[in-house]
Amino acid sequence: TGLLLCLDMYLEASKYEKSWCVRKLGFVCNELASYNLNLISLEESIQEDVAKKLLKQSFEHYKSALSYFQDCSDIHNIALVYSNLGKVMRISGQLQARFYYGSGREESCCTKRRSSTRKL
């Protein structure tokens, strides 16, 4: 994809202009991870092994993005990446429920949780 091409270009450019490229590398890694998460969310009949692979890739890309943003002390994007890592964990839990219990049971668990939190 175009994002992978950008990643390669920024990695090459970072050899010469590190300060400018570090932040851009963080942006690209963050987008790559988000792209993978969107693939999982859009595909309802995704196979378990494919979903796990995409989740792992997303997690690794977010870790890379976090590292790049920490290198340039970009606190706003560090917070964004931590939030996105939370999405990975949430989606991971939802997928675990779907693959372990089946799709109908996952929805009933979520429905029960939502209805119990509304009573509070």
Side-chain angles (χ1 to χ4, degrees):
T1 69
L3 287 172
L4 292 174
L5 181 61
C6 286
L7 183 63
D8 289 339
M9 290 172 51
Y10 285 131
L11 284 170
E12 183 65 29
S14 69
K15 296 176 185 175
Y16 308 103
E17 188 68 38
K18 186 165 176 76
S19 61
W20 177 79
C21 289
V22 169
R23 184 181 232 187
K24 299 291 185 185
L25 285 166
F27 291 144
V28 172
C29 289
N30 188 56
E31 285 301 318
L32 280 169
S34 296
Y35 176 78
N36 285 344
L37 285 184
N38 286 335
L39 287 177
I40 294 170
S41 298
L42 293 174
E43 185 62 48
E44 289 189 23
S45 60
I46 194 165
Q47 295 178 348
E48 185 175 4
D49 58 332
V50 174
K52 285 181 178 180
K53 181 180 176 185
L54 288 171
L55 274 173
K56 185 176 181 179
Q57 287 176 350
S58 289
F59 186 77
E60 294 302 319
H61 286 307
Y62 281 136
K63 279 182 19 181
S64 295
L66 185 61
S67 175
Y68 288 126
F69 290 136
Q70 287 172 337
D71 285 350
C72 64
S73 301
D74 186 340
I75 60 170
H76 299 291
N77 281 308
I78 290 170
L80 174 69
V81 172
Y82 277 126
S83 174
N84 289 340
L85 282 168
K87 272 190 220 174
V88 171
M89 299 303 156
R90 179 179 46 85
I91 291 172
S92 177
Q94 289 171 343
L95 288 172
Q96 287 290 340
R98 184 183 344 165
F99 295 133
Y100 184 75
Y101 295 114
S103 61
R105 192 134 176 221
E106 173 200 355
E107 290 176 18
S108 69
C109 291
C110 293
T111 305
K112 287 179 187 176
R113 183 177 52 93
R114 278 191 219 118
S115 65
S116 66
T117 56
R118 288 184 185 147
K119 292 176 186 174
L120 299 175

